[in-house]
Amino acid sequence: MDVLHYVLPNSLAEAYQLLHEDLNNHVIGGGVWMKNTLKSINTLIELKHLIGEKIEVTHEVIKIDANCPLRQLEIHPVIKDLYDGIISQSIEKIMGVSIRNVATIGGTVVGKYAFSDLLAALLAVDVTLVFFKQGRMELSKYLESHEKNRDILISIEIPIKKGTGYFHKVSTTHLDFAILNLAITQIDHQFRIVIGARPGIASCANQAMELINHAKEIDDTLINEVAECCVKELSFGSNFRGSEEYRMTLAKVYVARGLWEVIHHAS
Amino acid sequence: MLVNLIVNGQPRSIEVAKGEFLLDTLRHLDYLSVRRGCDSSSCGVCTVLVNGKPTPSCSLLTVRLDQQEITTVEGIAKEAEKLATHFGHEGADQCGYCNPSMALTVYAMKKELKKPTLEQIKAYLVGNLCRCTGYQAQHIAILHYLEDQS
Amino acid sequence: MKVVNQLTPSIDGKGLMMGRHGYTDDFADKNALIIKVMRSPHPYARIVSIDDAEAKKLPGVELILSYKDFERRPFTRAGQGYPEPSPHDKFVFDEYVRYIGDEVLCVAAVDEATANKALKYIKVEYEILTPILDFETAKQHSVIIHPEPEIHEMFPIGFKPLENVAASYHMHIGDVEKSISDSEVVIKESFYTQAQAHSMMEPHTVNSRFDYQNRLVLYSSTQTPFHVRRIISQALQFPLSRIRVIKPRVGGGFGGKQAIHGEIICSAVSIRTGKAAKLTYTRKEVYESSYTRHPMRLDITLAAMKDGTLKAIDCYVLSDTGAYGEHALTVFMVAGSKVLPLYNKVDSVRFYGDVVYTNHTPAGAFRGYGAIQGNYALESAVDILCQKLGMDPILFRQKNMIKEGETSPIFSIMGEGTEGTAMNMDTCKLDYCVKRGMELIHWNQKYPRTQTKKDIVEGLGMAIAMQGSGIPYIDMGAATIKLNDDGFYNLLVGATEIGQGSDTILAQIAAEALMTSVDKVIVYSSDSDLTPFDVGAYASSTTFVSGNAVLKAAETMKHQLIIESAKALGSEFKDIEFDGEIFNDSKHQKQISLKDLSNRLYYNHDQKQLMVTESYVGHKSPPPFMAGFADVSVDLLTGEVKVNHYVSVVDCGVTINPKLAQGQVEGAIIQGMGMTLYEDVIYTKTGKLITNDFMSYRIPTRMEIPSMTTEFAESYEESGPFGAKSVGEIGIDTPPAAISNAIYNACGVRITSLPITPEKILKGLKKLKEHSI
């Protein structure tokens, strides 16, 4: 990788300005994926002295600094328990421990990687992002926007509530990227269903969620209807990891299995 | 750019290009136990410990590591030898290309996890690919190593 | 036995774990020129012009070489004995490029950045030609991949380049058509296998320099240092006597380093510049520009009587050798010769077909070559036949398979490029392997299937396999044993340790024969100047061929030692007993230790160096046999498969090192399982390989592996060293058919193309459902 300048700015304001001076200036997170995607960089902006890697837990929220390595998140005792541990589970399935010691939550979120397992889990618990310029933003909104976001992510906040969850990744081998991933939660009696790597980026199945959240009674028939609904409302596609048709089948099967598990776990 | 690394406890100053990765820096410094297996951070062969944590040296820019502690297998020689004894007993070593990175990762795991189960061991080491052994003998050897109080 | 067949840790395991230097790149000169190869972006094209003026101006660019810089002298990179059974169809560089990744030219520069930069500055204009990307259309295609007049075969191998045929073959025994029409039950099926990639952890790498005697010295990560030396000399017309090839520690080969990779280009750079050079493949180059397993289509017809007597096997094979013909014929032959004898009681057999050129990455040697493709087809077909016969597949095999003391006419007909060698199965414990495997997998309790959970079904499947032990009358190995003062030995072998443990097991053989311990036998292997000749690590030859050479050398050394001790003691040869440490003449109550004798020989009396060399060439190739059993779970809703348990019962004669032998089997099982389930090879429509790194080419990780039970049958092969046969390849053969059969038994879906992906299974399940409605 060719890097012309490596800069440690004095403030986030300075970093922000630097980032906007040149499209080929980049903030570095863990740097793992950057190496695989960028051949040459003008200015590499280092923020490790400005943005930490702490995880702070209050009664209502877990606040995670953007530079927190995935591995720290994965093994954090509160996160391991929260919503049946789906955030930890989603991280466990990303490459090996050594990569997770380097890759950061900030890099994962900002990268908006369509294959990301963690994004699916985070979306299912609806986390809030805190940016330097734009301030607070829901992850769902961030992922939906197609604009090139060149803001600096400072931290991520995960709400602490009572709830259950399910995460599943389908892949050829453990180290491979997902053919499909999905996360389902039931928090405050509300279901959220998220499907990612379709191969498009993780999205909520809003109509399906509506259907189940308004149902009077949840039985096998409804679960199947909800699963069908997910497949209808979300777009699926083909790549060398799996065909559109196969992804749709997987989505149907695992939404049903996931819902069943979440419901039975809650009761 | 001048970077000061602490490699196996020894301060090493080296002038590096800003885009240079730790793997190349360490090999320039003759730490030849650190090796390349791929170009996409996906095989585990180049693993070293940075501040005690297993890390892919092929993906870390050296300029970011000023004053950081780097450990290669030479820095944990006794533990590596002990692990090798158990590998030897199980016939778990074949080509050996990835063995230093394996030793470092197992060593870090031993420090991090208390009495890991076989499933936990697999999960911790999954990023260390091996095309030779079929893994099973490695797992048996690692379980013996973890029990070894000598 | 004290050393052989005993627990012996590998002699190099500790040093390697502790990170000691030893691999090829560790020996590269620090100031070596870095070579980068420009690779073709087109599957088939003619180079119209090369403009390297700008690149040559770049400071630090030392040399640029293309086809214009070499005489046209075709050779083969296959890394086989001479004359090779592979066509001479490759030039160092050529005006034509024949696959995406083929060599266009190379740059040598002071560092990697400069070399890469130079590549960007070079403009190459191509005339783009129509490629052949579907091997089933290659034969007699209007496009000719090798039209050049200079290329040739070394002896008849059915080479017809104008028809895109690199090799072809036909043989038959009996009247196949008649046997089929006389039979009561006939099945016919086509099977496809993919271009599996070796994926060894150490990429291909080589470095070269001239030493102070002005000789070209290479370190290379190779399986065939002596062949490499010969081929460099032939291709570059550089005197053989001025080349030294050293094979240091190799980080995995599996056949992928049998053929030449960067050695010729690297040598050419050193020869032209006089400077040290190095060429290391990127992982992408390893996948795109080294070699793969030969993809094949195998059409099998089996004919049997209702009582389960197999009458005929008819097998047509179409093999894809890619852009060049390395191992084209030999891999094809093994698909028959190491598979068909399993069922030796048939009335008639036919085996025929072609190996065609395409514009894909060339195929080459890969562990179990040919055998794994043939085994998948035949052992799947046998289960299909049993289904139709309504017969238990194990009973069928027990009735029809080869047994100890028997033979097959195939052995004498089919060799590797030449005729074969007739032989009887002096050891064949296949019967035991099958019986023991049934117990270990709980066949009688679990076959064919059990529903374990809602939507999850477990099934059992099995396959039998055989391999060889070197190529008779061709593969030669030699060993030198040198006595040192203080009474320890050096064992110098040409045999090529590539991680399989051959240095250790050869030391064990020498130590056993010399009645000493492994630490008293210091091994040095594969240096073309210092060690005796050996063909290299391929064809499952090292334990059997090189091992026999070591055993002979050790016996000769023992004889010499006794002669010398008798002289020293003033005794007669026949009165000396030697236990490995002491020479004892009990009749006259005189003795001398090996240590004292050695010191005496080097310092005091009758001074001389004791050093012996022996060679071995096999007159037969005793096959190891095995039975492999798979226990798999299939998810009926998603088609996902998990292999729960794999049982291997292997007859490889006496295991010289039981744990290392087990490692060979288990490592091979997992490679075979990778080929069966995960290792998909995908090209774009324009012939570009998509699966070209560890992120897209999925080798098994430690999370996928089943629990493995591996046992060895009690067996003693008279012709092998201490009763041993080979074990390097046999393990890879059974997983495709055994797992495929298990999947069928679990869910009724038969997949006839590898890899068996969940998508394919799910499609099959849907079809089954439609048919049952």
Side-chain angles (χ1 to χ4, degrees), chain A residues 174 176 241 243 246 254 257, chain C residues 635 638 640 698 704 759:
Chain A
H174 188 93
D176 194 20
R241 291 195 160 80
S243 70
Y246 185 57
Y254 281 106
R257 284 178 183 175
Chain C
D635 186 324
T638 65
E640 290 170 282
R698 282 77 52 107
E704 282 77 49
E759 274 207 72

Side-chain angles (χ1 to χ4, degrees), chain A residues 33 36 95 168 170 172-177 240-243 245-246 249-250 253-254 257, chain C residues 455 635 637-638 640 677-678 682 690-691 695-696 698-701 703-704 758-759 762 766:
Chain A
W33 201 251
N36 289 333
M95 308 295 285
H168 191 79
V170 183
T172 303
T173 65
H174 188 93
L175 286 180
D176 194 20
F177 293 92
F240 78 91
R241 291 195 160 80
S243 70
E245 194 192 345
Y246 185 57
T249 306
L250 287 176
V253 172
Y254 281 106
R257 284 178 183 175
Chain C
D455 309 329
D635 186 324
L637 298 187
T638 65
E640 290 170 282
L677 295 175
Y678 314 123
I682 302 165
I690 295 174
T691 45
M695 288 193 288
S696 49
R698 282 77 52 107
I699 67 170
T701 77
M703 299 298 267
E704 282 77 49
E759 274 207 72
L762 197 63
K766 281 187 178 158

Side-chain angles (χ1 to χ4, degrees), chain C residues 428 625 768:
Chain C
C428 173
F625 293 93
L768 274 185

Side-chain angles (χ1 to χ4, degrees), chain B residues 10-123:
Chain B
Q10 297 294 315
R12 301 293 304 255
S13 296
I14 183 171
E15 191 67 39
V16 297
K18 295 180 188 82
E20 183 173 310
F21 291 101
L22 180 61
L23 167 60
D24 298 307
T25 308
L26 290 172
R27 283 194 75 84
H28 286 162
L29 289 170
D30 271 336
Y31 296 99
L32 299 181
S33 65
V34 189
R35 308 189 181 113
R36 181 186 296 283
C38 72
D39 314 293
S40 54
S41 330
S42 41
C43 70
V45 169
C46 68
T47 305
V48 297
L49 305 184
V50 176
N51 303 323
K53 288 186 176 149
T55 303
S57 66
C58 74
S59 303
L60 282 188
L61 289 171
T62 307
V63 289
R64 304 186 78 193
L65 296 168
D66 198 41
Q67 304 297 343
Q68 307 299 302
E69 303 238 8
I70 317 289
T71 310
T72 70
V73 78
E74 290 87 344
I76 58 156
K78 273 202 174 139
E79 290 296 317
E81 190 174 2
K82 203 158 112 180
L83 181 62
T85 304
H86 294 288
F87 266 54
H89 279 281
E90 294 305 324
D93 34 24
Q94 288 195 30
C95 85
Y97 193 69
C98 62
N99 281 11
S101 58
M102 171 63 65
L104 286 161
T105 315
V106 170
Y107 172 76
M109 177 181 73
K110 188 177 158 186
K111 299 214 134 184
E112 197 179 320
L113 305 180
K114 271 190 196 141
K115 289 201 174 169
T117 61
L118 177 60
E119 284 312 305
Q120 284 174 310
I121 291 171
K122 284 186 188 176

